[in-house]
Amino acid sequence: MSGGIGKVSPEGDTMKSATNFSGELFQVMESKIQTPQVAGVSNNTAGLLYKWVNYGKGWRPRWFTFQAGVLSYYKVHGPDKVTLNQESHKGFRLIGEEGQRLMRKHKHFYSDYKNNPGRACGDIHLKVSTLRNSHSDDKKFYIYSGTKTLHLRAETNADRTAWFEALQAAKDCFPRSSLLIGITPPAEEITISTEKLRSKLIEQGLSQDVVVECEKIMLAEFSNVKEQLQVMQDRRTHLLERLQLLEADKVELETNVVDEMQSQGGVDGIHRLKRYYDGSDTETDDDHDNGRSGDGESDDDEEEFFDTKDSLKSSGSIQKQTSVSEVDMELVGLNYPEVHRRKSLPQPKEKEKSVSLWSMIKDNIGKDLGKVCLPVYFNEPISSLQRCFEDVEYAYLLHRAYEYGKRGDSLMRILCIGAFAVSGYSSTEGRTCKPFNPLLGETYEADFPDMGVRFVSEKVSHHPMILACHCEGRGWKCWGDSNLKSKFWGRSIQLDPVGTITVQFDDGEVFQWSKVTTSINNLILGKLYVDHYGTMRIQGNRELSCRLKFKEQSIVDRTPHQVQGFVHNKSGEKLATLFGKWDEAMYYVMGDVGARHKSYDPMSEAVQLWRRADPPENITRYDLSAFAISLNELTPELKEKLPPTDSRLRPDQRHLENGEYNDANAEKLRLERKQRRARMEQEAGWQPRWFHKGNRSNTYEYIGGYWEAREDGKWDNCRDIFGPDQTEAENCEAQ
């Protein structure tokens, strides 16, 4: 049995030929999907719907148009609003009285429409979407595409029904197999050519009857395989459809919970909740559709991310990495002393209580949450200053970058810088507890001769909270400050970092970058998880720069945490491609991988730049890495050398590490009462001890003198910020 090439089916579909991995010829039906034509329903539909933006803005009116299988929406207020009239929407079916009223209002602006029709805020293709009516509100419905969810509400139940029926009827005209993003539609008809087999058997001198019998055997086996593939495809389609429905149910349930919270606590309740997480109530009517919004939309260009599964990591890749690193490994890391550090936390002295974040939010509805103290159970025994040092865990990458630069290899230097910038996120996987917020003037030092680095950090501002840090290694120094702007979206917290990280080498080359957005998801339902997304631009002061894109995780994403980018020269040429995962490893390939043929496997010649260290032998409930476990260790010898401002001397953090939860809570309350006076101290002229703002930038820079004061044991200018203040001391004496 041999199939013809270019055969046309009775339905008008065409056959295309394809070759599998063994070289056999297959013929696959390619459906010509036309624009849906629905009986009794106009293809082109338009009207006014209310779209959920976020918990600060709520429902906002948008003008929706459905045409050629694509649903687009526009703003109706502001400078980017859509201009409407009868001519521009000729042939459209208008749904809802509000839409018709808006159309009449704009009827005199046809010339305006031709010059400026309005920019669509977003588009969603119906053939890759799922529609779902709300069970709790007869005016609401959802459209889920696998990458974003539109929450929509009509003016009346009749309008919702009209919209839903129009969209569903048009959607039903598409083949069911093409409804899901990322799924290749199963073949309508597959045939297999037996010409090669027939020729080979005849060459061997077999009779015609034997050849026919062999063909029958092969086709029977192929038929069984095709049936199994079809069953697997159907199961996969059904599973993804169920995932989409579960996501819609989850989003609706969370929305209902927050709506109920708002109705119980009043308007002030939700606004106070947002202010507690630094959310703004004074935003403009802009949807921020180009950034993070309530529906998770993004207008960023879609890029292909390469899979870096362990199964693809060939021994050849590892051998290449070894050969590339022979020289620099000879120079880096072999002459550092060995230092013994602890590998586990102390055993808890008390049984920990189970407390949920939602229970805290729910119990404080209507209260001023800015004055509510979260219990210590939501903290990990690490301060934010110590977390800053976790970004330098893989400092050997900077040592390598320095050595490559000394040998004139500027490309390998920036590749190591890119891997270092990504590696700082690896310890955040599974870390859903909150680090301790440092007190004003609190510091942390790390003298790690086994890594060849010295690090010092300080809280330099209380409002806004700014942490400054400085690290020195062999041939380089690194500094920066961080200030997080957070937004509360009901089911997630978005953290946008403000600040710049600078790495400067002794030869004068400098690199700067800013961190990407971090989100903490599933606050109300499901398992908490941390994600990082956005674009990181590493800018150098010489010829090369690097751009890395962190892919945002979605519910149907089987390969989360992916990062991909390129090294560019000044003319924009892509010299190398970086890719990998921020919680696993980073690789590079020379040249622009995206410009190669589609069957190219980048892992076939990928070279590993960095790999995350193995997890600790003793896993903690905080999911601390082995490196993080060592950061709060306090030996008697070290205690004698530390200033009274060091994070390791914090009593609440120390009690939490020891599992003394009642004492930790009591100390945390005491220090937070003491910290409320820090803003007044700052306004009265308080200045950081070890950092100051640079003359040419707003970044805090290290002024020096810390390690000299440590050597001499002179901490005269450092207050005992963790001890009792004067008022507390007087009360203790009176008692």
Side-chain angles (χ1 to χ4, degrees):
M1 173 182 170
S2 61
I5 301 177
K7 184 175 69 176
V8 179
S9 69
E11 291 78 9
D13 297 329
T14 61
M15 299 292 296
K16 282 191 173 182
S17 62
T19 306
N20 72 353
F21 60 89
S22 298
E24 290 91 347
L25 180 67
F26 283 82
Q27 295 174 339
V28 183
M29 180 75 70
E30 182 186 62
S31 299
K32 294 182 177 179
I33 302 175
Q34 305 292 336
T35 302
Q37 300 291 334
V38 184
V41 179
S42 172
N43 270 342
N44 302 336
T45 307
L48 191 74
L49 289 170
Y50 290 86
K51 174 180 171 288
W52 177 261
V53 179
N54 57 50
Y55 291 99
K57 303 174 196 174
W59 299 93
R60 291 299 174 93
R62 297 289 182 262
W63 182 259
F64 281 79
T65 62
F66 175 64
Q67 188 176 19
V70 179
L71 184 69
S72 305
Y73 53 95
Y74 306 79
K75 295 180 180 178
V76 295
H77 299 296
D80 296 327
K81 67 180 180 181
V82 65
T83 304
L84 308 171
N85 56 61
Q86 297 291 345
E87 291 296 326
S88 65
H89 285 69
K90 187 176 181 180
F92 278 77
R93 175 195 177 195
L94 294 182
I95 296 178
E97 294 183 0
E98 283 295 317
Q100 297 176 11
R101 183 191 62 78
L102 190 63
M103 181 71 74
R104 290 193 297 269
K105 180 179 178 181
H106 286 245
K107 66 180 179 180
H108 300 298
F109 297 97
Y110 180 56
S111 59
D112 221 16
Y113 174 81
K114 290 193 294 184
N115 296 328
N116 183 23
R119 181 178 62 88
C121 295
D123 301 293
I124 191 164
H125 292 264
L126 209 62
K127 69 178 181 179
V128 293
S129 302
T130 298
L131 305 176
R132 181 70 178 266
N133 270 325
S134 171
H135 300 303
S136 59
D137 190 328
D138 63 358
K139 300 176 185 177
K140 288 163 56 176
F141 65 101
Y142 309 99
I143 303 178
Y144 180 71
S145 70
T147 59
K148 64 182 177 182
T149 303
L150 292 185
H151 303 239
L152 304 176
R153 190 185 71 192
E155 283 289 334
T156 65
N157 174 254
D159 291 347
R160 182 188 79 165
T161 302
W163 269 107
F164 196 85
E165 289 180 350
L167 297 176
Q168 187 63 53
K171 176 181 169 60
D172 290 342
C173 293
F174 292 106
R176 180 176 179 273
S177 58
S178 65
L179 297 180
L180 297 173
I181 286 181
I183 297 181
T184 303
E188 299 288 339
E189 179 183 341
I190 300 177
T191 59
I192 184 171
S193 172
T194 58
E195 290 296 337
K196 291 183 179 180
L197 176 64
R198 178 188 295 272
S199 301
K200 189 67 176 177
L201 294 177
I202 291 176
E203 287 178 6
Q204 298 298 319
L206 298 180
S207 65
Q208 186 68 22
D209 292 339
V210 174
V211 170
V212 172
E213 186 66 25
C214 290
E215 285 182 330
K216 288 181 179 180
I217 294 174
M218 188 188 72
L219 292 175
E221 292 293 328
F222 174 74
S223 178
N224 293 333
V225 172
K226 185 170 70 171
E227 290 177 1
Q228 294 174 17
L229 288 174
Q230 185 63 50
V231 171
M232 294 173 63
Q233 177 68 30
D234 291 343
R235 288 178 178 174
R236 180 169 179 258
T237 301
H238 176 71
L239 176 60
L240 288 179
E241 286 178 342
R242 290 296 304 162
L243 281 174
Q244 291 182 354
L245 295 178
L246 288 172
E247 172 70 7
D249 287 338
K250 175 173 173 287
V251 169
E252 181 178 1
L253 180 56
E254 291 173 346
T255 304
N256 292 340
V257 169
V258 176
D259 287 344
E260 181 182 352
M261 178 183 70
Q262 184 173 359
S263 64
Q264 291 178 3
V267 176
D268 290 340
I270 191 68
H271 287 185
R272 286 172 183 159
L273 183 60
K274 280 173 54 56
R275 283 199 297 273
Y276 182 70
Y277 289 102
D278 294 336
S280 172
D281 293 322
T282 59
E283 299 181 21
T284 64
D285 188 44
D286 189 8
D287 259 5
H288 301 292
D289 282 323
N290 291 330
R292 175 74 171 175
S293 152
D295 51 22
E297 298 170 7
S298 174
D299 289 339
D300 290 340
D301 294 335
E302 289 295 327
E303 296 184 14
E304 179 185 0
F305 286 80
F306 303 111
D307 195 354
T308 55
K309 295 179 181 178
D310 287 336
S311 60
L312 295 177
K313 295 169 188 170
S314 63
S315 58
S317 297
I318 297 177
Q319 290 171 1
K320 289 180 183 178
Q321 170 61 23
T322 303
S323 62
V324 168
S325 303
E326 281 174 356
V327 178
D328 66 28
M329 284 305 295
E330 185 177 324
L331 299 171
V332 177
L334 298 182
N335 57 344
Y336 294 140
E338 183 177 353
V339 178
H340 176 74
R341 304 191 186 280
R342 68 179 185 182
K343 298 182 179 180
S344 62
L345 297 180
Q347 288 296 321
K349 296 181 180 179
E350 300 173 9
K351 185 176 181 180
E352 187 177 11
K353 298 178 182 178
S354 177
V355 182
S356 69
L357 178 60
W358 174 242
S359 68
M360 290 299 302
I361 297 176
K362 173 176 63 64
D363 292 341
N364 289 284
I365 292 174
K367 298 181 182 179
D368 185 355
L369 291 180
K371 297 180 180 179
V372 174
C373 176
L374 287 176
V376 76
Y377 307 110
F378 298 114
N379 287 89
E380 60 182 7
I382 294 288
S383 76
S384 296
L385 295 170
Q386 291 166 308
R387 273 240 181 165
C388 291
F389 184 51
E390 287 191 67
D391 290 349
V392 196
E393 177 180 357
Y394 301 96
Y396 69 84
L397 290 167
L398 296 182
H399 294 316
R400 289 184 180 179
Y402 171 67
E403 296 296 337
Y404 277 123
K406 282 177 60 178
R407 296 196 294 272
D409 195 339
S410 57
L411 179 57
M412 283 304 303
R413 169 174 279 189
I414 195 171
L415 286 171
C416 289
I417 292 291
F420 173 77
V422 174
S423 69
Y425 293 95
S426 62
S427 64
T428 64
E429 171 63 7
R431 298 275 288 277
T432 56
C433 289
K434 179 180 178 292
F436 279 87
N437 182 13
L439 276 64
L440 186 64
E442 185 174 333
T443 63
Y444 177 73
E445 70 159 61
D447 185 8
F448 277 45
D450 50 328
M451 292 173 53
V453 299
R454 292 196 309 183
F455 172 92
V456 61
S457 57
E458 180 181 10
K459 181 175 179 179
V460 296
S461 174
H462 178 62
H463 188 78
M465 190 186 86
I466 300 178
L467 310 178
C469 61
H470 180 88
C471 187
E472 298 176 357
R474 185 169 62 186
W476 57 268
K477 57 183 178 180
C478 174
W479 70 89
D481 56 36
S482 63
N483 173 24
L484 291 177
K485 288 188 176 180
S486 59
K487 294 181 181 179
F488 175 64
W489 300 110
R491 58 173 176 159
S492 64
I493 297 175
Q494 174 186 338
L495 304 173
D496 294 310
V498 178
T500 303
I501 300 172
T502 303
V503 173
Q504 179 177 322
F505 294 97
D506 287 354
D507 57 17
E509 188 165 16
V510 178
F511 296 93
Q512 290 185 320
W513 67 91
S514 296
K515 290 194 168 187
V516 297
T517 297
T518 296
S519 64
I520 304 173
N521 303 279
N522 290 345
L523 294 179
I524 299 176
L525 295 174
K527 182 181 180 181
L528 281 173
Y529 71 92
V530 177
D531 191 25
H532 309 285
Y533 59 90
T535 301
M536 176 185 289
R537 294 174 176 83
I538 303 175
Q539 191 63 46
N541 65 341
R542 294 183 181 174
E543 295 294 324
L544 303 181
S545 62
C546 180
R547 178 179 178 270
L548 296 170
K549 185 171 182 179
F550 289 64
K551 182 181 179 182
E552 185 173 7
Q553 185 174 343
S554 66
I555 190 173
V556 294
D557 194 354
R558 295 177 297 167
T559 54
H561 308 162
Q562 293 190 70
V563 182
Q564 182 173 311
F566 302 94
V567 173
H568 303 260
N569 57 20
K570 284 191 174 180
S571 62
E573 181 185 1
K574 296 178 179 178
L575 304 182
T577 303
L578 291 91
F579 61 97
K581 296 183 179 182
W582 54 258
D583 66 329
E584 184 179 293
M586 287 297 293
Y587 304 84
Y588 77 89
V589 172
M590 291 299 180
D592 180 5
V593 172
R596 306 192 186 185
H597 53 84
K598 293 184 178 180
S599 60
Y600 170 72
D601 177 12
M603 290 304 295
S604 62
E605 56 179 295
V607 180
Q608 181 178 295
L609 284 166
W610 159 80
R611 172 168 288 279
R612 181 184 179 183
D614 294 333
E617 298 177 1
N618 303 293
I619 303 296
T620 69
R621 82 161 184 89
Y622 310 104
D623 280 324
L624 298 179
S625 64
F627 182 70
I629 288 175
S630 69
L631 298 186
N632 204 48
E633 183 178 11
L634 184 61
T635 62
E637 297 80 9
L638 179 60
K639 188 175 182 179
E640 293 179 358
K641 299 179 181 180
L642 293 178
T645 55
D646 194 276
S647 295
R648 278 163 287 207
L649 303 177
R650 282 190 65 143
D652 52 353
Q653 185 171 307
R654 184 60 57 187
H655 283 309
L656 177 62
E657 180 180 286
N658 294 332
E660 300 164 338
Y661 304 111
N662 292 329
D663 291 340
N665 262 320
E667 285 294 331
K668 187 171 186 287
L669 285 169
R670 181 183 69 83
L671 291 177
E672 288 187 348
R673 285 196 299 267
K674 187 175 181 179
Q675 181 70 358
R676 292 191 183 103
R677 293 190 290 273
R679 185 170 183 176
M680 293 185 290
E681 294 180 15
Q682 186 174 335
E683 293 173 350
W686 178 90
Q687 293 296 325
R689 176 65 182 84
W690 308 109
F691 292 84
H692 73 104
K693 276 195 175 181
N695 297 326
R696 293 174 294 178
S697 68
N698 289 325
T699 301
Y700 281 87
E701 297 178 0
Y702 177 56
I703 62 176
Y706 180 89
W707 299 106
E708 292 77 7
R710 184 182 191 270
E711 183 69 23
D712 298 334
K714 294 182 179 180
W715 305 114
D716 300 336
N717 296 327
C718 298
R719 298 179 304 161
D720 183 10
I721 60 176
F722 304 127
D725 57 22
Q726 184 175 356
T727 303
E728 291 174 328
E730 291 174 354
N731 292 337
C732 290
E733 291 178 1
Q735 292 176 359

